[in-house]
Amino acid sequence: MARRPWSFKEDRRLMELAKSSASLEEAAKALGRSPDAVKRMALRLGLSLKSKASKKS
């Protein structure tokens, strides 16, 4: 599968989602990207996103 470059607009959207405490899965869905791609970009931008799967009840 070919990688699509991230646009500045997508970077900003990811920052907004991280600031609003969106989960990794929610951010991936909102951006139309895989959770892995979102996780990699979040790390590159120094953002932290929590995965729904890793939350403890």
Side-chain angles (χ1 to χ4, degrees):
M1 186 185 293
R3 291 187 184 184
R4 218 170 13 117
W6 283 70
S7 68
F8 178 74
K9 190 175 174 183
E10 287 175 309
D11 289 350
R12 301 297 301 172
R13 180 74 177 122
L14 180 55
M15 289 178 204
E16 290 169 10
L17 289 164
K19 200 181 290 186
S20 70
S21 302
S23 72
L24 178 62
E25 291 81 4
E26 290 166 339
K29 189 173 184 177
L31 292 163
R33 296 200 177 248
S34 72
D36 280 345
V38 172
K39 186 190 246 182
R40 278 193 302 271
M41 184 51 76
L43 286 170
R44 192 172 297 155
L45 294 172
L47 305 172
S48 99
L49 289 168
K50 304 293 180 222
S51 175
K52 278 185 177 175
S54 69
K55 285 185 182 173
K56 294 183 180 176
S57 300

